[in-house]
Amino acid sequence: MTRGRLRVYLGAAPGVGKTYAMLQEARRRADRGSDVVVGLIETHGREQTASLLDDLEIVPRQTITYRDAEFGELDIDAVLTRRPEVALVDELAHTNVPGSRHAKRWQDIQEILDAGIDVLSTVNIQHLESLNDVVQQVTGTAQRETVPDGVVRDAEQVELVDITPEALRARMSHGNIYQPDKIDAALSHYFRVGNLTALRELALLWLADKVDDQLDTYRAEHGIGETWGARERVVVALTGGPEGETLIRRASRIAARTPKGADLLAVHVTRSDGLAVSDPTHLARQQALVDSLGGTYHRVVGTDIPAALLDFARGVNATQIVLGVSRRGRFAQLLARGIGVSTAAQSGSVDVHLVTHEQVGRGRRLPHPITALSRRRRLAGFAVTVPGIPLLTGLLLVAGDQLSLASDMLLFLAGVVGVAVLGGWWPALLAALASSVVINYFFTPPLRTLDIARRENLLALVVFLLVAAAVSAVVDLAARRARDAARASSDAQILSTVAGSVLPGARPLTALLEQLRETFGLTSVTLLERTSHTPPAPGHQHDPRAWRVVVSAGDEQCATPADGDTSVGVEDDLSMVLRGRVLAAADRRLIEAFAAQAAVALRQERLTEEAGTIRPPAQVENLLDMSRLLTGTLGLSLVPVVLSGVVAQAAGELDEPAQRVRVRLPVNLPPVHADPALLKRVLVNLLANALRFSPADQPPSVSATENCARVDLRIVDQGPGVPQDQWTQMFRPFQHLDDRDNLGLGLALSRGLTKAMRGTLTPEQTPGGGLTMVLSLPTAEPSAEPDGS
């Protein structure tokens, strides 16, 4: 059965028009032919709202007596019995009167949704659990009625019903919200402009976060990797130089100027070859500054710094990057255009800001080479070049005139190619330059000089140098492509393993984190959860009190996101922290895939635990049969049944000894028309209840009489009984009265199954005290073959 869909109308304060908007939607659906009923609506005496109830079917409320007063609450059973397409249930965060089936109305709504019925509901922002203390600080009023954020976040649609504070106060003044005697007090306290503005901002920001989550889910489901600027995220690139604080503050101002405030992320790219060493003192101070401004600090590893920076930015869906103008001098900038310019050229849809600072032009370092080969292979290439060129020169000089200039050049070219294969671009370029000088000096006339007498020799040397450089570049490019292909294959294999490990529920959360730790050779992987649902305070990344460990793999678990080398935000309140080494920027997408699956695994584990606490496995069959009854899908096989045989079978399935039940059935009792399996289920439930509450010296009894083509079977106990005013409540699903072992389903299910077999189940007072359950079923046709013997 498909679960119903929840649509929530969210408002910043009472009176914005949530219920009115919900009723308008209900009327639109009814006009389109949908079956709509009003489960419960609170009009609060507002005539315009009440007028929209005309022509809508209203389900009567359930009356509950509490402390000598009567209260009207949502009648869940009436809604389930009526079974409309859409039910309207106002005030999602409402607390039910004691004695109701559930403590909260949102729990009532969950039951209706589970039955496949769509629900429209309303809630104010101050009733969301995560904002409860923030609202109290703003308004000075504590909200006792709250609803978990997850209930609203899981709604298929959340529609904001918005109105300006001035318009809401005007509506209040006109008497459209509260009674006249309450207007002045409301306007001077809760409904002050400042309060309403703050509540409105909270509602807008909360809804923006939900929309942002939906956008991330959509991008992930559709494999969209490019940046979408739906929400601003500003990334500031830090080199570890003294200009970092200037860049952070500038990036913070850029983030603050966005319409709804942007996320600030600082990232430091460490070169994988270890050639560029950053000042750890500067980085530590800059990380503290980022935390104080409410941002997050990240470290990634990359050989190509612009590419690593853009990989990170696109991975977090950043819209802007802030970099400092190059510290290198003009001569160094002539050799390479610099990280900032290269990043801007490759940024695509991500805006790049180049910020000037006091350190511009003070650097002296030359740009570092970018290569796909390891440092060891590059050093090996230089080590071969230095002795190899003189050795080849000596051998060719010994050969003398036996080889032509063309042959000499081909041998040197072969040497350059060998160096390129071994060490890549830079050793090969050195070998090509050295070889061209040697060929010119020793083998090109005039000999022993750098002059070139013939043009064809000059052309040959130029061609030699170009071919050597081209071959070196091709070899280096091939190595880069091979590395990328291997990386892509490895990533695909890892992602396939991750996707297949959690979705079927075959691997627990701890095993997933252990797989992540082994995959990347980490010391530990820790999943942290924020202890408070309030917006994070500055420095919360370093505060152990703000986090708790959900699960950890490895020897050194982290207490805060700042304790690890890499941290990845999983959800609003979850963070995965990795310790052991700083990971490359290209690894972040894989880490995020692990993080997403960890969140799924955590939800699965918690749902499993919750299900275990609220529904014992032994009662699953009762729940399934009740759902079949409610949906009209219960299968029946009505045949003639001999009651004596079915009663004996039911007594034999009880935990109590069957001989405690006294069975007194007439010998000539006619068979009844029933489903043998369902009838046995009913009798098991009724006999179990009777045995549970019967005194040890007064066991229950079963008797039967024939009355007007029906057989009345009586299960009699001498227990404490049930007051007559509670008989109706006793048969409602999930009522616990004296039916705890069946989760409140035993009697409700028994009556439902009996009704399905065209019978009735009614209670009576047992003479002398106790309860008698009368099961009445129609007799079978005389010509039918009886069952149950």
Side-chain angles (χ1 to χ4, degrees):
M1 178 175 60
T2 303
R3 193 173 190 267
R5 296 168 296 182
L6 174 62
R7 181 170 182 172
V8 177
Y9 291 84
L10 174 69
V16 297
K18 304 179 301 299
T19 304
Y20 192 87
M22 178 176 66
L23 285 169
Q24 286 182 319
E25 174 64 18
R27 295 182 70 90
R28 282 193 294 268
R29 295 194 183 193
D31 291 342
R32 293 196 300 264
S34 297
D35 183 13
V36 180
V37 302
V38 176
L40 189 147
I41 288 291
E42 299 289 356
T43 63
H44 299 288
R46 299 165 191 166
E47 295 180 0
Q48 292 180 344
T49 302
S51 65
L52 291 179
L53 288 171
D54 296 341
D55 301 328
L56 288 178
E57 179 183 348
I58 301 177
V59 176
R61 299 191 185 192
Q62 174 188 2
T63 302
I64 297 178
T65 303
Y66 178 67
R67 293 183 178 177
D68 298 327
E70 292 187 347
F71 300 88
E73 294 288 2
L74 174 66
D75 193 335
I76 305 174
D77 291 331
V79 175
L80 296 178
T81 302
R82 172 61 177 75
R83 192 161 187 81
E85 294 180 49
V86 183
L88 276 64
V89 183
D90 210 357
E91 297 185 357
L92 184 66
H94 172 76
T95 300
N96 292 330
V97 175
S100 302
R101 181 181 305 177
H102 301 297
K104 294 285 188 177
R105 185 166 292 165
W106 65 263
Q107 295 172 315
D108 299 341
I109 291 175
Q110 293 294 320
E111 184 175 344
I112 296 174
L113 292 171
D114 290 338
I117 301 172
D118 293 349
V119 176
L120 307 183
S121 189
T122 64
V123 71
N124 282 326
I125 192 66
Q126 67 264 28
H127 295 301
L128 294 180
E129 182 65 46
S130 66
L131 300 176
N132 187 260
D133 55 346
V134 179
V135 172
Q136 183 175 358
Q137 292 173 2
V138 171
T139 65
T141 303
Q143 300 293 332
R144 294 184 177 89
E145 293 185 328
T146 59
V147 59
D149 287 43
V151 174
V152 185
R153 286 191 180 278
D154 291 341
E156 185 180 62
Q157 294 185 38
V158 177
E159 181 173 324
L160 180 65
V161 182
D162 189 32
I163 187 174
T164 65
E166 293 77 11
L168 183 57
R169 285 172 58 85
R171 182 180 292 179
M172 172 72 74
S173 301
H174 295 156
N176 295 331
I177 300 178
Y178 289 164
Q179 296 299 320
D181 59 332
K182 299 180 180 179
I183 293 176
D184 290 339
L187 289 175
S188 59
H189 291 88
Y190 194 89
F191 281 79
R192 295 195 302 267
V193 172
N195 287 359
L196 297 177
T197 302
L199 292 172
R200 188 185 187 201
E201 182 179 18
L202 285 174
L204 291 169
L205 290 174
W206 190 93
L207 188 61
D209 285 337
K210 175 176 171 57
V211 174
D212 198 49
D213 292 341
Q214 292 174 332
L215 178 62
D216 290 341
T217 302
Y218 179 85
R219 284 163 46 84
E221 290 176 350
H222 292 79
I224 300 172
E226 64 270 15
T227 299
W228 281 9
R231 176 169 179 170
E232 297 291 329
R233 286 188 175 89
V234 180
V235 171
V236 54
L238 304 177
T239 64
E243 76 282 357
E245 295 183 16
T246 301
L247 301 182
I248 293 171
R249 291 190 173 93
R250 179 62 182 277
S252 178
R253 291 195 296 271
I254 293 174
R257 284 199 299 265
T258 58
K260 60 179 180 179
D263 298 332
L264 176 64
L265 301 91
V267 60
H268 171 65
V269 181
T270 302
R271 290 188 60 87
S272 58
D273 54 18
L275 295 177
V277 180
S278 302
D279 189 332
T281 304
H282 286 315
L283 286 176
R285 189 162 53 243
Q286 292 160 15
Q287 181 177 357
L289 177 60
V290 171
D291 290 336
S292 68
L293 294 173
T296 57
Y297 178 84
H298 306 268
R299 291 173 61 197
V300 298
V301 176
T303 302
D304 187 342
I305 293 181
L309 178 59
L310 289 171
D311 280 345
F312 174 82
R314 294 186 179 112
V316 299
N317 200 28
T319 54
Q320 302 183 64
I321 300 176
V322 177
L323 303 100
V325 175
S326 178
R327 288 181 291 159
R328 299 177 301 125
R330 293 183 178 180
F331 178 73
Q333 294 184 40
L334 290 175
L335 298 178
R337 54 185 179 178
I339 294 173
V341 177
S342 299
T343 303
Q346 304 170 29
S347 64
S349 60
V350 182
D351 296 335
V352 177
H353 303 267
L354 292 178
V355 178
T356 187
H357 50 84
E358 296 180 352
Q359 304 297 320
V360 173
R362 296 187 180 184
R364 293 292 183 269
R365 294 181 298 179
L366 293 174
H368 295 290
I370 298 174
T371 179
L373 300 178
S374 65
R375 185 180 182 185
R376 178 178 296 180
R377 287 187 60 178
R378 295 198 304 274
L379 292 176
F382 286 117
V384 169
T385 299
V386 173
I389 297 298
L391 179 60
L392 180 58
T393 302
L395 293 175
L396 293 178
L397 289 174
V398 171
D401 296 335
Q402 297 180 13
L403 297 174
S404 63
L405 176 60
S407 299
D408 294 336
M409 295 178 72
L410 286 174
L411 290 173
F412 274 103
L413 181 60
V416 172
V417 171
V419 171
V421 172
L422 178 62
W425 166 255
W426 291 103
L429 183 59
L430 174 62
L433 292 173
S435 298
S436 63
V437 172
V438 169
I439 292 172
N440 187 8
Y441 188 83
F442 289 104
F443 303 102
T444 305
L447 303 178
R448 304 299 190 274
T449 69
L450 295 178
D451 297 332
I452 301 176
R454 302 176 63 181
R455 292 182 179 177
E456 59 268 23
N457 292 338
L458 175 61
L459 177 61
L461 280 174
V462 172
V463 171
F464 168 81
L465 186 59
L466 293 176
V467 170
V471 170
S472 303
V474 169
V475 171
D476 190 77
L477 180 62
R480 188 186 302 274
R481 293 291 183 266
R483 180 201 61 184
D484 292 344
R487 175 59 186 254
S489 176
S490 175
D491 290 355
Q493 184 176 4
I494 293 173
L495 289 173
S496 175
T497 303
V498 173
S501 62
V502 176
L503 293 179
R507 297 179 59 122
L509 179 59
T510 304
L512 181 68
L513 266 60
E514 183 62 30
Q515 181 184 357
L516 171 60
R517 189 188 68 80
E518 292 176 355
T519 299
F520 293 96
L522 302 169
T523 304
S524 67
V525 179
T526 307
L527 186 63
L528 297 176
E529 185 175 38
R530 285 204 300 122
T531 56
S532 172
H533 294 288
T534 58
H540 73 286
Q541 299 279 345
H542 297 269
D543 186 3
R545 297 171 299 179
W547 300 91
R548 73 174 188 87
V549 176
V550 178
V551 67
S552 180
D555 299 330
E556 302 175 3
Q557 72 177 21
C558 300
T560 68
D563 292 343
D565 296 298
T566 302
S567 65
V568 176
V570 184
E571 292 178 348
D572 290 343
D573 296 330
L574 289 176
S575 180
M576 181 176 285
V577 186
L578 290 68
R579 174 181 283 176
R581 64 187 181 91
V582 180
L583 298 175
D587 292 329
R588 190 173 183 89
R589 291 189 178 182
L590 283 178
I591 300 298
E592 290 174 348
F594 272 96
Q597 295 296 340
V600 173
L602 178 60
R603 284 195 293 269
Q604 286 180 346
E605 289 188 1
R606 288 180 172 174
L607 287 173
T608 301
E609 293 173 1
E610 183 179 354
T613 60
I614 66 173
R615 188 177 67 183
Q619 306 304 327
V620 174
E621 190 174 359
N622 275 357
L623 288 168
L624 291 175
D625 281 345
M626 178 58 74
S627 68
R628 295 187 185 106
L629 277 172
L630 294 175
T631 57
T633 58
L634 182 68
L636 287 173
S637 177
L638 299 178
V639 297
V641 179
V642 177
L643 279 176
S644 58
V646 179
V647 171
Q649 294 174 12
E653 290 191 6
L654 299 174
D655 295 333
E656 297 284 344
Q659 55 266 31
R660 284 196 57 197
V661 179
R662 295 178 299 180
V663 180
R664 301 170 181 172
L665 300 180
V667 177
N668 59 347
L669 191 69
V672 296
H673 198 57
D675 184 305
L678 297 184
L679 179 58
K680 184 173 70 174
R681 292 283 307 283
V682 172
L683 291 173
V684 167
N685 282 329
L686 298 179
L687 290 173
N689 283 335
L691 281 167
R692 187 178 305 115
F693 299 109
S694 294
D697 59 344
Q698 293 180 309
S701 63
V702 179
S703 61
T705 57
E706 183 181 2
N707 183 18
C708 298
R710 299 183 73 87
V711 172
D712 295 337
L713 188 71
R714 284 178 167 80
I715 295 90
V716 182
D717 71 64
Q718 304 293 328
V722 177
Q724 189 170 353
D725 60 356
Q726 295 185 19
W727 283 357
T728 301
Q729 185 179 358
M730 177 174 62
F731 286 100
R732 289 178 180 147
F734 303 103
Q735 294 301 313
H736 288 283
L737 292 179
D738 296 329
D739 200 19
R740 291 181 176 84
D741 289 348
N742 286 319
L743 275 179
L745 279 177
L747 292 178
L749 178 63
S750 297
R751 173 171 276 186
L753 295 178
T754 303
K755 184 177 180 181
M757 294 184 291
R758 302 179 211 169
T760 60
L761 180 63
T762 55
E764 293 179 352
Q765 296 284 3
T766 300
L771 182 69
T772 297
M773 301 300 296
V774 181
L775 174 64
S776 179
L777 293 169
T779 58
E781 296 293 334
S783 61
E785 182 70 22
D787 191 4
S789 58

